[in-house]
């Protein structure tokens, strides 16, 4: 009998930030696991993701956490920053403070994207109403009674209701009854009155809500008063993020008194050593929930009474720009902050008279309640749960009692499948209202909910799938289904042939199976090393999650390799271990060998890649891909005849093998067969090479032959037809187009203006001045010298001085030599370049690519009048290979 797969229904009450983040995690986790799921979002708001906090359109209302801390994903901290860059703010950084409205748009878009990606596995619908009560059903489900009279049955529910509305219980009866008292200032239309006249305003409360409203209501001629028992405004964030600190010792198993001593001492040390208390306080964030749980109820109450307000004003800070605006308003006396509370109030015809406990009397047109969240019991849904005993108040009456997010009744049981996150867990966790905490709770909640669905039937299906896993082209098992495996094989095949379309094929694989770890990891690798249009951190995070949930040992190892390469964390050693353990993993072997597709091994000795290819030979049995790699490495050894034979053998089996073509191009160049190499490669570029992903590099090889043949007209035609910006962009333009221009100029093969500035304009400035690798940095220095940009050369040098060892030891002096060249200090330039030739191989790339430095040295020697040294260098070059251009330059040297 065919088993019918039951769809589990999860109701999410509240579609603000907490509800949207929960829905995102449920969509993506269920899609990865291929678990059918129905999600119902219950919220009257017109758009999911905004809630109260992110619906304000006032551009002065900014987040109180930098963009780098506001990602929707705990394992991808840069996601929000990258979203801003893609949506009209290309210069934003992780330290910037975005507007609240933009963040609401980000949450809405992230949820929409998650719903689209999960389509077919997860169905999501919205109910534009409120849930007013919740009861259990005999079959263990829950029933939500809705404000529109409807009912919703669900297998489980997540109560993402956010902070409860303030009850305004502090206000005297005469004030609560007044028309000019605004109890809920964020309600649509609530500020119409205060915004329509110029009367003074009193804000009761001095937290972040009060700050936002003070910005909105500030205007010349009006005084905005703010009052609270402590009179403390939120502290500002530092203008520049400070270096992080570790949490202090002595936090474990400490009483409140011990914690006070440890924390205050830690803050004092931060002020003495860093000049700022913020790093000390921020270092406590990962430990706050544990420390709160370790306190007794009396200690928690003591903390709230004595440090609660101080903690909140320093922990929940405002953006520097907000603080500056507020400071100007206070200096101009348009904002006045009072310490005290409202003792009495009376309403007149067009004003309110408010008496504070500090003895001051204020006459204002409006009073706004900014005191913050109220009690959950004032919400009908929560009241129904508390009254029925399905929920119990949290510690000190804050929020509700939970056990890892699941509601706990007064007797310690969990009678209903109800979960919550965010503000309702404040009593349990203390810090539970900021996005970094909520996104982590949402991710854990999604895992808990879906883990509970892993019935024996689900496990049996997973076992059957594991037994019949599809294979890749080399016979290695793939943890996915047949259709996604076919797309993956197509993508990898294109990578191995150096053909276009690999990115699209791999994207299709993960679209068909969002939990396919190898597909995500391969995309991350292409984005990181090949410049493919891939959101690398997102793909990497998806790969890591999927590998944990479904990957086998080989797949987890490959994901770890890609993770280390992307993060620059001992990537070569991890890659070598993986290839040695899994020699038939062709994609990993391609990444290890520095040919044309990937950067290869950088930090190990020069012959290691060759030994790795020889070690893996039995796993490929003469396969054209493996033969192509061996051909390229043989020509690097100078064994040109053998390399040529291997390349032809590989091309006979697979004429589209870009690696074999690349090897043969180097054989022709290094052996001086320039005419034959030009004609053969030009024909291949026009034919099979039309689909090559690095077609510009093959065109560069043709131009290299034309340059050696001393044919400047051909070089110029080739550059404009196949290498000019627009036809080539990004790193490829820097490495191929830029270097070819420079080589043509310094050998007198380019007449007229040199369009090197166009090359630099086609490359991201960060890539030019802050390159990730020494190989890219070498070509950046070449391009910057070509345009004579000394300041940029110095910035590149400064970046290299703080980068890896190869950049420090080679790129720094290389930049200084090129700077000397630009300044026409040719003797200094020649001295610096000559010293670098013996160690230049460490930057990576091929000998033909690194040769640009040798040719620049030749130019510097000739320009310095050191003709004998130039003649010796040319003789050495002509001994390696004959080239008409070099013979012409030598003949022109003075005797």
């Amino acid at each position: 009998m065919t088993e019918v797969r039951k769809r589990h229904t999860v109701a999410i009450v509240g579609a603000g930030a907490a509800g949207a983040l929960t829905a995102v995690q449920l969509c993506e986790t269920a899609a990865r696991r291929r678990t059918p799921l129905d999600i119902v979002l219950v919220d009257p708001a017109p758009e999911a993701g905004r809630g109260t906090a992110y619906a304000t359109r006032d551009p002065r209302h900014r987040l109180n956490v930098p963009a780098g801390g506001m990602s929707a994903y705990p394992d991808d901290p840069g996601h929000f920053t990258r979203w801003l860059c893609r949506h009209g703010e290309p210069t934003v950084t992780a330290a910037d403070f975005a507007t609240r409205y933009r963040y609401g748009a980000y949450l809405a878009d992230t949820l929409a994207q998650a719903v689209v990606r999960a389509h077919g596995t997860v169905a999501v619908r919205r109910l534009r109403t409120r849930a007013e009560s919740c009861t259990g059903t005999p079959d263990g489900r829950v029933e939500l009674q809705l404000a529109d009279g409807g009912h919703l049955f669900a297998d489980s529910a997540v109560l993402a209701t956010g902070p409860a509305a303030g009850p305004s219980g502090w206000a005297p009866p005469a004030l609560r009854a007044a028309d000019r008292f605004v109890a809920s200032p964020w309600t649509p239309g609530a500020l119409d009155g205060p915004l329509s006249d110029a009367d003074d305003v009193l804000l009761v409360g001095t937290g972040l809500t009060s700050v936002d409203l003070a910005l909105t209501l500030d205007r010349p001629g009006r005084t905005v008063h703010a009052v609270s028992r402590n009179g403390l405004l939120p502290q500002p964030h530092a203008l520049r993020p400070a270096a992080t600190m570790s949490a202090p010792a002595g936090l474990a198993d400490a009483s409140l008194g011990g914690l006070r001593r440890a924390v205050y001492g830690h803050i004092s040390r931060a002020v003495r050593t860093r000049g700022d208390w913020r790093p000390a306080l921020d270092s406590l964030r990962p430990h706050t929930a544990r420390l709160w749980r370790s306190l007794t109820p009396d200690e928690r109450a003591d903390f709230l009474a004595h440090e609660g307000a101080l903690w909140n004003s320093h922990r929940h800070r405002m953006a520097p720009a907000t603080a500056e605006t507020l400071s100007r308003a206070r200096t101009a006396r348009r904002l006045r902050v009072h310490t005290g509370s409202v003792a009495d109030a009376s309403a007149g015809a067009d004003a309110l008279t408010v008496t504070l406990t500090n003895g001051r009397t204020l006459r204002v047109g409006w009073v706004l309640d900014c005191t913050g969240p109220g009690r959950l019991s004032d919400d009908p849904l929560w009241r129904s749960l508390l009254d029925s005993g399905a929920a119990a108040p949290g510690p000190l009456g804050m929020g509700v009692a939970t056990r890892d997010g699941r509601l706990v009744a007064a007797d310690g049981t969990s009678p209903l499948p109800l979960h919550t996150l965010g503000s309702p867990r404040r009593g349990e966790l203390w810090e539970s209202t900021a996005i970094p905490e909520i996104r982590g709770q949402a991710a854990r909640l999604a895992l808990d909910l879906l883990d509970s669905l892993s019935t024996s039937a689900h496990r049996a299906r997973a076992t059957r799938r594991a037994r019949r896993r599809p294979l890749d082209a080399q016979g290695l098992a793939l943890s996915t289904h047949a259709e996604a495996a076919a797309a993956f094989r197509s993508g990898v095949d294109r990578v191995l042939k150096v053909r276009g379309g690999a990115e699209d094929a791999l994207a299709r694989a993960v679209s068909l199976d969002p939990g396919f770890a190898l597909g995500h990891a391969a995309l991350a690798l292409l984005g990181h090393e090949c410049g493919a249009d891939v959101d690398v951190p997102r793909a990497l995070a998806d790969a890591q999650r999927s590998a944990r949930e479904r990957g086998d040992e080989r797949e987890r190892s490959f994901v770890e390799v890609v993770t280390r390469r992307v993060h620059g964390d001992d990537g070569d050693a991890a890659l070598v271990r993986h290839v040695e353990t899994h020699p038939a993993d062709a994609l990993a072997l391609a990444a290890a060998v520095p040919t044309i597709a990937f950067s290869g091994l950088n930090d190990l000795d020069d012959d290691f890649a060759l030994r790795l290819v020889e070690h893996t030979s039995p796993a490929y049995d003469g396969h054209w891909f493996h033969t192509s790699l061996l051909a390229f490495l043989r020509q690097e050894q100078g064994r040109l005849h053998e390399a040529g034979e291997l390349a032809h053998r590989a091309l006979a089996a697979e004429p589209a093998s870009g690696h074999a073509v690349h090897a043969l191009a180097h054989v022709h160049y290094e052996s001086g067969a320039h005419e034959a190499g030009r004609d053969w490669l030009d024909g291949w570029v026009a034919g099979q090479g039309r689909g090559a992903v690095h077609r510009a590099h093959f065109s560069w090889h043709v131009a290299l032959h034309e340059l050696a043949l001393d044919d400047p007209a051909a070089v110029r035609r080739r550059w404009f037809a196949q290498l000019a910006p627009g036809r080539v962009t990004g790193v490829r333009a820097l490495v191929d187009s830029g270097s070819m221009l420079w080589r043509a100029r310094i050998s007198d093969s380019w007449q007229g203006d040199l369009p090197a500035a166009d090359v630099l304009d086609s490359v991201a400035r960060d890539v030019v001045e802050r390159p990730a690798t020494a190989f890219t940095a070498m070509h950046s220095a070449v391009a910057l010298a070509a345009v004579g940009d000394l300041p940029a050369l110095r910035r590149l040098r400064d970046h290299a001085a703080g980068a890896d060892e190869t950049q420090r030891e080679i790129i720094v002096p290389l930049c200084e030599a090129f700077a000397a060249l630009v300044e026409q200090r040719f003797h200094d330039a020649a001295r610096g370049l000559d010293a670098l030739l013996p160690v230049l191989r460490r930057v990576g790339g091929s000998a033909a690519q690194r040769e640009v430095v040798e040719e620049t040295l030749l130019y510097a020697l000739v320009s310095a009048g050191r003709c004998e040294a130039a003649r010796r260098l040319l003789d050495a070059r002509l001994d390696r290979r004959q080239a008409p251009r070099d013979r012409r330059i030598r003949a022109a040297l003075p005797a």
Side-chain angles (χ1 to χ4, degrees), residues 784-818:
L784 292 171
V787 298
D789 193 341
L790 281 172
L793 264 173
R794 293 185 177 113
R795 289 193 294 271
L796 175 61
R797 177 200 61 193
D798 294 343
H799 163 78
D804 58 77
E805 182 181 1
T806 302
Q807 291 208 48
R808 290 195 304 271
E809 295 181 359
I810 296 178
I811 302 304
V812 169
L814 185 69
C815 288
E816 291 170 348
F818 273 113

Side-chain angles (χ1 to χ4, degrees), residues 488-513:
F488 179 77
R489 286 193 296 268
S490 173
V492 172
D493 182 65
R494 291 173 179 275
V495 171
L496 302 186
K497 292 176 181 175
V498 199
R499 308 291 287 178
E503 174 192 338
D504 293 338
L506 294 171
R508 174 169 170 74
V510 298
S511 175
L512 291 166
D513 181 4

